[in-house]
Amino acid sequence: MKEVKFEDLPETIRKQLSLLIQDSGLPEDEETRNRLALIWDEKYRLFTGQVGSLGLELVQNLDREDPRGAVLLTYSGSLISLGPLRGKSRWLEYASIKLRTDVPELVRGEKAGLAGPIRLDQAAVFEGCPVKRSSALFRIAVCPHGLSADDQERRIREATVYLTNGFVKLNRTRSRTPVPEVEQFTAKAIIGYIAKKNGVTQLAARGLIEDYLSMVETGMLLGERVSVGKLGSASLRYQAARKARLTRNLRTGEEILIPAKPACLAPRFTFSQAVKDKCASVDPTLFGAEEETEEDEEG
């Protein structure tokens, strides 16, 4: 795939990226412009891929009275998520990402409203929440008509978590200068993100997550097939006894003795078809995925 250059982008995006360079204090040279152009192109591909996989629709505008949930992408690369209209308000979450390489700044309002219609290439204006105005919008993705509010909620939340963390990862992997390794998906980082996103303490978030995982583990140990949400299910499977045997290291040719193993129960996790389909749809060029060789698979 051809690497995108700054001059390949539409003029409106070039202007926004130039302003971003000025505001961030980055060198105003060709290397910086081309690097940001590459990041922008990858973010856009990530955005379109995710909204497509969730069945969201790209539209030109969203009326104030439109009850559908939506995800808004600004020219600066930040995200605004709007929950479905419930009564007279909806929740709003603004993730200021831009060039961040750590946990994004999140601002959330539980009783937000649109001050007017939302349109492409214009700033969105909100009321009833800390976020009053966005920068110009590049894309508007909405839930299709006919979905229940709960289904819309699920899709918007899923898109928000994936895109927010995906954008930060792209910023980090494409950084011009060395970036300290950010533990974005450790237990500590995940708990911190969930706590901030849901307005609870990290202690409360940790307790809920640990209780949930303990229930999954307990059910599995009691012989149940336990659903782990959309990821799949955990269960136990019987493993027959194995005799000791000799095998050979494929790299060195050295013989290795694999000891005998008695019959036992072993944990098993089965991923759902939905997760498998999503994995298959991810563009492998975005995050530097490497092709496995037969030797890798055997080792």
Side-chain angles (χ1 to χ4, degrees):
M1 181 180 294
K2 179 185 175 182
E3 194 169 278
V4 173
K5 302 293 185 182
F6 185 77
E7 60 267 20
D8 298 329
L9 299 176
E11 182 180 359
T12 50
I13 298 178
R14 294 202 304 269
K15 287 181 178 179
Q16 292 292 331
L17 292 183
S18 295
L19 291 173
L20 188 58
I21 292 172
Q22 293 174 13
D23 292 342
S24 63
L26 291 171
E28 297 184 33
D29 54 22
E30 183 179 4
E31 182 182 351
T32 299
R33 289 191 290 270
N34 286 335
R35 180 173 61 85
L36 292 193
L38 178 60
I39 292 174
W40 175 257
D41 177 67
E42 291 177 333
K43 285 181 178 179
Y44 178 60
R45 287 194 284 136
L46 197 68
F47 179 85
T48 54
Q50 178 68 356
V51 300
S53 70
L54 291 172
L56 305 185
E57 301 172 350
L58 295 175
V59 297
Q60 299 289 316
N61 55 71
L62 182 70
D63 292 334
R64 183 182 184 184
E65 298 80 14
D66 195 318
R68 293 178 292 173
V71 181
L72 316 177
L73 173 64
T74 71
Y75 276 99
S76 63
S78 291
L79 289 166
I80 301 170
S81 302
L82 300 173
L85 191 64
R86 294 180 184 267
K88 296 183 179 180
S89 63
R90 62 178 86 211
W91 61 264
L92 175 150
E93 182 176 292
Y94 171 71
S96 178
I97 302 170
K98 298 183 180 180
L99 299 179
R100 295 182 70 99
T101 58
D102 56 357
V103 178
E105 178 185 349
L106 299 179
V107 179
R108 187 175 174 88
E110 297 299 333
K111 294 185 178 181
L114 306 182
I118 294 176
R119 295 188 175 92
L120 290 182
D121 299 321
Q122 296 182 16
V125 183
F126 308 101
E127 56 189 15
C129 65
V131 180
K132 301 301 181 184
R133 186 183 184 90
S134 74
S135 55
L137 301 180
F138 179 65
R139 287 291 183 268
I140 302 171
V142 300
C143 292
H145 289 289
L147 289 182
S148 68
D150 288 343
D151 196 3
Q152 292 184 58
E153 186 94 17
R154 178 189 62 78
R155 297 191 192 197
I156 297 301
R157 284 182 176 275
E158 184 173 336
T160 301
V161 172
Y162 180 79
L163 292 173
T164 299
N165 288 281
F167 281 14
V168 169
K169 183 175 176 65
L170 286 173
N171 285 346
R172 189 169 71 249
T173 56
R174 297 298 185 184
S175 176
R176 183 178 188 176
T177 56
V179 176
E181 187 61 30
V182 179
E183 297 181 340
Q184 192 175 355
F185 295 105
T186 61
K188 181 179 179 180
I190 291 172
I191 288 169
Y193 177 81
I194 291 175
K196 192 171 185 179
K197 183 175 175 60
N198 291 278
V200 299
T201 66
Q202 291 196 29
L203 183 63
R206 179 184 295 276
L208 289 171
I209 293 171
E210 289 181 348
D211 284 349
Y212 176 76
L213 294 177
S214 293
M215 283 294 293
V216 172
E217 180 185 43
T218 298
M220 182 181 67
L221 294 177
L222 292 175
E224 299 289 336
R225 185 181 184 89
V226 185
S227 172
V228 188
K230 60 190 177 185
L231 280 181
S233 60
S235 60
L236 293 177
R237 65 174 178 177
Y238 176 79
Q239 283 189 345
R242 297 179 183 177
K243 296 180 180 180
R245 69 185 192 278
L246 284 174
T247 187
R248 191 174 297 278
N249 186 307
L250 295 177
R251 298 180 187 274
T252 65
E254 178 186 3
E255 283 193 340
I256 301 173
L257 175 64
I258 298 180
K261 191 174 182 180
C264 65
L265 292 174
R268 178 182 184 181
F269 194 90
T270 304
F271 285 99
S272 68
Q273 189 59 49
V275 168
K276 293 177 182 178
D277 291 342
K278 286 182 180 179
C279 290
S281 68
V282 172
D283 184 346
T285 65
L286 285 174
F287 299 113
E290 297 181 357
E291 183 178 354
E292 287 187 348
T293 64
E294 291 185 6
E295 187 174 282
D296 292 332
E297 293 173 353
E298 292 175 359

